[in-house]
Amino acid sequence: MRYFNNPEALLRLVSSMQEGFAITLTIFFATLLFSIPLGMVIALLRMNRHRAVSVPVSLYILVMRGTPLMLQIFAIYFAVPMLTGHNLERMTATILAFSLNYAAYFAEIFRGGIMSIPVGQYEACRVLGMRRSQTFFYVVLPQVFKRVLLPVSNEVITLVKDTSLANVIAVGELFRAAKNEASRTASIEPLFVAGLFYLIMNGLVTLFFNRLTQRMSYYRD
Amino acid sequence: MLEATHIRKSFGDTRVLKDVSLRVSRGEVVAIIGRSGSGKSTLLRCLNDLETVDGGEIRIGGQALVTMQAGQPVYKKDGERRALMLKMGMVFQSYHLFPHCSVLRNLTMPQKLVLGRGDGEAEAKARDLLAKVGLSDKAGAYPCQLSGGQCQRVAIARALCMDPDILCFDEPTSALDPQLTQEVLGVIRRLAQEKRTMIVVTHEMRFARDVADRVIYMEDGVVVQDGPAQEVLGDHRSDAIRAFAGE
């Protein structure tokens, strides 16, 4: 053992992984920031009654969910410059790929949530004279929020771990930092330390969603 | 006040309404009775623009919601259509309250969004109507904390908040036990005494006889009888009504 029996070395290892952790957090929060609103838009387009809209969107969701995220990261990082002639920053490509991919998953979760709202709610809004947009924002969306919390928390936990995929285009995130340290010192311990980072982060994510679920329990359907 | 003529409506191959006509005057309480599947709820839903008709005309307060043009029903444009439908209020069998909103917000939100009322005005109106249905103490409660009868009374108050000219009820007590049923019927009875124009689809024969001015009996998508409540449901009731009532 090189680190686990040597607190000083362990502390140095952890601080050398700090920067990687910061990059991991950036990918994580940026992906959530973009993919959740985008997912809602995709869900609504997927439910559009015009097939010219819903069919292409279904295809998008099929491709995003049906191919490896790792491949999508490569594709965006290498193919976009070939097609457009502009180079992408590694981080930009990463966040773009993650956002497009996670938006597809979120879209299907939101779609399920929206479809689970009883038709009676729409009819009540209608006889009260509410517009469709008012119905959506004041009646449907707040109820969808509660209904999708659990599946969304699953997705967010997966995202924490998936950020490690960014290392395939040499983004220096947490896992890459740990891997570099591991090969430099010929020890597997840095990888376990990285694992601990992910675990702690997901503990916090779980705590956050438990709180949110509790806050939303002020009503039952 | 309300006039529907020659209404036709099919779902697929099933003809649910076959040439139904109906008139309701101001201050009149009309009960629509009939077996399940006789088309009475569908008729009410057509009048409230929850279903579009396949044929026929509907006028509310003299204004046309749908008219026949070249043999096809033509509805008003969206904005006017919504404005016209504000004259109608609707109470559903299963209430359809907004579960995520408090009772008070259930009543104020539509007023603010649709009628553009301010907070103060909307809340005053809501509290006024909650008092009327006997639920002043439930303003802060959520629908899940109320009994079925209380939910239905909130739903009635919510509909009244929008100041409709005609209030419609679609089997308002069918989901309630006898005691809660009386609670809700009591509220409707009081509204009838105030000379509110109402159309009530119901299975409560006694209530129909006591409260309604007119009773319409439907069977198989047509109006079989339409007359004063005492005539249709009184001692000289027809064999069809006797059979319906299980006598």
Side-chain angles (χ1 to χ4, degrees), chain A residues 121 123 126 131 138 218, chain B residues 45 49 82 97 100 113:
Chain A
Q121 293 287 302
E123 293 190 342
R126 182 152 180 179
R131 290 165 189 279
Y138 289 89
Y218 69 90
Chain B
R45 290 172 60 82
D49 202 16
R82 199 169 40 238
L97 295 176
H100 61 299
L113 292 177

Side-chain angles (χ1 to χ4, degrees), chain A residues 6-187:
Chain A
N6 183 347
E8 220 173 290
L10 185 62
L11 206 66
R12 251 183 288 124
L13 170 66
V14 168
S15 68
S16 78
M17 287 163 67
Q18 252 175 20
E19 199 185 335
F21 187 56
I23 294 172
T24 291
L25 284 180
T26 308
I27 299 170
F28 175 75
F29 283 113
T31 300
L32 288 183
L33 182 71
F34 296 122
S35 63
I36 288 177
L38 183 62
M40 183 53 78
V41 172
I42 293 172
L44 293 175
L45 292 176
R46 170 71 182 78
M47 289 189 292
N48 192 292
R49 55 176 175 224
H50 299 292
R51 286 176 60 84
V53 178
S54 66
V55 170
V57 172
S58 307
L59 278 175
Y60 171 84
I61 293 172
L62 177 66
V63 171
M64 282 299 157
R65 296 199 306 174
T67 59
L69 176 53
M70 193 190 285
L71 172 62
Q72 293 166 18
I73 295 169
F74 277 128
I76 285 174
Y77 184 57
F78 293 110
V80 169
M82 274 196 274
L83 293 173
T84 66
H86 293 284
N87 273 326
L88 276 183
E89 294 274 341
R90 289 176 202 281
M91 267 304 261
T92 313
T94 302
I95 290 168
L96 188 61
F98 272 82
S99 297
L100 293 176
N101 177 276
Y102 271 78
Y105 285 95
F106 283 132
E108 287 296 85
I109 292 174
F110 295 156
R111 186 164 73 96
I114 292 170
M115 290 197 310
S116 77
I117 301 298
V119 66
Q121 293 287 302
Y122 292 92
E123 293 190 342
C125 291
R126 182 152 180 179
V127 297
L128 289 165
M130 290 167 65
R131 290 165 189 279
R132 282 174 53 166
S133 59
Q134 292 173 332
T135 303
F136 183 72
F137 286 110
Y138 289 89
V139 174
V140 176
L141 202 54
Q143 295 184 61
V144 167
F145 182 81
K146 175 170 175 161
R147 289 179 185 218
V148 300
L149 273 184
L150 217 59
V152 164
S153 75
N154 253 340
E155 225 40 65
V156 174
I157 284 172
T158 306
L159 172 61
V160 167
K161 296 170 289 177
D162 273 359
T163 54
S164 60
L165 286 171
N167 92 85
V168 297
I169 54 168
V171 170
E173 45 68 58
L174 178 62
F175 195 74
R176 188 174 190 85
K179 216 171 65 176
N180 287 346
E181 204 60 24
S183 46
R184 194 177 64 81
T185 58
S187 157

Side-chain angles (χ1 to χ4, degrees), chain B residues 172-230:
Chain B
T173 59
S174 295
L176 305 175
D177 69 33
Q179 194 195 336
L180 298 181
T181 295
Q182 287 315 311
E183 187 179 299
V184 170
L185 293 184
V187 170
I188 302 176
R189 198 170 272 129
R190 249 175 291 145
L191 293 173
Q193 281 158 6
E194 294 172 9
K195 287 288 155 207
R196 248 179 204 285
T197 315
M198 294 192 284
I199 306 172
V200 188
V201 168
T202 184
H203 287 129
E204 298 287 328
M205 301 285 276
R206 235 190 63 199
F207 171 77
R209 197 184 57 207
D210 295 349
V211 177
D213 299 306
R214 237 173 72 221
V215 172
I216 290 172
Y217 174 65
M218 286 182 67
E219 213 175 77
D220 252 347
V222 295
V223 172
V224 177
Q225 269 186 294
D226 178 351
Q230 286 309 321

